[in-house]
């Protein structure tokens, strides 16, 4: 039974309420917030009804029958009891809503921490996988640097040999050599790893 489906206080002269109808459907913060709002509306209606009955009683004091005044006194007392019950319920609902809100905030925070923990664990495991391949990576870099050094030395030796050959008039008389000069690749290990030391 929820507060949305039952009008716990109508616009008639009824003075009793179904306090159970003001209870939330569950203990979630959203349901409790809705129950608090409903209980506040009921409390305001009861206050208006009490003011109206007390005004009616004041008007009856000088001209109404004794029994009629006692009857309205009974209705005022009933409304006061209903108002007290709603006020007590509202106090409890506020406390439950505060507790549920805190609980849900804590749950969200813990869920976020668990997600971050899983993400961190996965990232660290991936890093461990790289560390396991480090020796192979180090060897590949070292091999690349050695190949680069060898290629550079060979290129220099070639250029020096060509320059020395052209000092010979016979060689120079033959014109350009029919050899295409080797071109170094764009990606050079020592350009990528300028401070790496081969061990």
């Amino acid at each position: 039974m929820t507060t949305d489906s039952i009008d716990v206080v109508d616009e008639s002269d009824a003075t009793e309420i179904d306090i159970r109808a003001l209870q939330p459907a569950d203990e979630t913060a959203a349901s409790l917030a809705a129950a608090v709002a409903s209980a506040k509306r009921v409390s305001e209606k009861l206050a208006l009804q009490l003011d109206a009955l007390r005004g009616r009683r004041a008007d009856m004091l000088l001209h109404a029958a004794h029994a009629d005044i006692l009857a309205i006194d009974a209705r005022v007392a009933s409304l006061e009891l209903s108002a007290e019950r709603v006020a007590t319920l509202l106090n409890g609902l506020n406390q439950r809503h505060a507790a549920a809100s805190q609980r849900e905030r804590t749950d969200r925070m813990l869920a976020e921490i668990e997600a971050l923990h899983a993400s961190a664990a996965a990232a660290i495991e991936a890093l461990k996988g790289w560390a396991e391949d480090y020796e192979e990576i180090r060897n590949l870099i070292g091999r690349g640097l050695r190949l680069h050094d060898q290629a550079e030395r060979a290129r220099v030796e070639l250029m020096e040999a060509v320059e020395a050959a052209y000092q010979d008039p016979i060689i120079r008389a033959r014109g350009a050599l029919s050899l295409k000069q080797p071109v170094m690749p764009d990606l050079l290990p020592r350009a990528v790893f300028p401070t790496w030391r081969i061990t």
Side-chain angles (χ1 to χ4, degrees):
M1 187 177 297
T2 66
T3 55
D4 293 335
S5 60
I6 292 183
D7 187 5
V8 293
V9 175
D10 58 28
E11 298 299 329
S12 69
D13 289 335
T15 59
E16 292 185 17
I17 62 169
D18 183 359
I19 203 74
R20 292 172 301 178
L22 292 172
Q23 292 289 354
D26 52 52
E27 289 297 305
T28 63
S31 292
L32 285 161
V36 166
S38 294
K40 284 181 178 179
R41 288 194 296 269
V42 171
S43 180
E44 291 167 359
K45 280 188 176 182
L46 289 171
L48 291 174
Q49 284 183 306
L50 269 171
D51 287 344
L53 277 179
R54 285 167 179 159
R56 190 186 306 175
R57 181 185 183 281
D59 293 340
M60 293 171 62
L61 285 175
L62 297 179
H63 62 81
H66 190 80
D68 292 338
I69 296 174
L70 288 177
I72 204 168
D73 280 344
R75 294 172 62 197
V76 168
S78 179
L79 269 178
E80 288 174 339
L81 176 59
S82 293
E84 183 180 1
R85 295 179 71 193
V86 171
T88 301
L89 174 66
L90 185 56
N91 181 60
L93 287 173
N94 279 320
Q95 293 177 7
R96 287 156 63 189
H97 176 251
S101 296
Q102 180 60 55
R103 182 175 62 251
E104 291 177 12
R105 281 194 298 271
T106 300
D107 290 344
R108 286 194 299 270
M109 186 182 301
L110 291 175
E112 182 179 352
I113 290 173
E114 288 179 1
L116 290 173
H117 175 269
S119 178
I124 291 170
E125 283 303 313
L127 180 60
K128 287 179 181 178
W130 177 89
E132 292 172 357
D133 295 335
Y134 173 71
E135 189 63 27
E136 181 181 352
I137 294 170
R138 191 173 66 85
N139 291 336
L140 285 172
I141 293 173
R143 179 170 175 269
L145 294 174
R146 282 189 291 272
L147 289 172
H148 187 178
D149 292 344
Q150 291 170 10
E152 188 63 33
R153 283 194 302 270
R155 188 184 69 83
V156 170
E157 289 174 1
L158 171 62
M159 297 302 296
E160 289 176 348
V162 169
E163 184 178 355
Y166 272 94
Q167 299 302 316
D168 187 328
I170 297 175
I171 297 293
R172 200 164 50 245
R174 295 179 60 178
L177 298 175
S178 60
L179 297 174
K180 186 177 180 180
Q181 182 177 340
V183 179
M184 296 285 271
D186 293 333
L187 183 63
L188 296 173
R190 288 213 174 273
V192 179
F193 305 103
T195 60
W196 191 278
R197 293 183 178 180
I198 300 175
T199 58

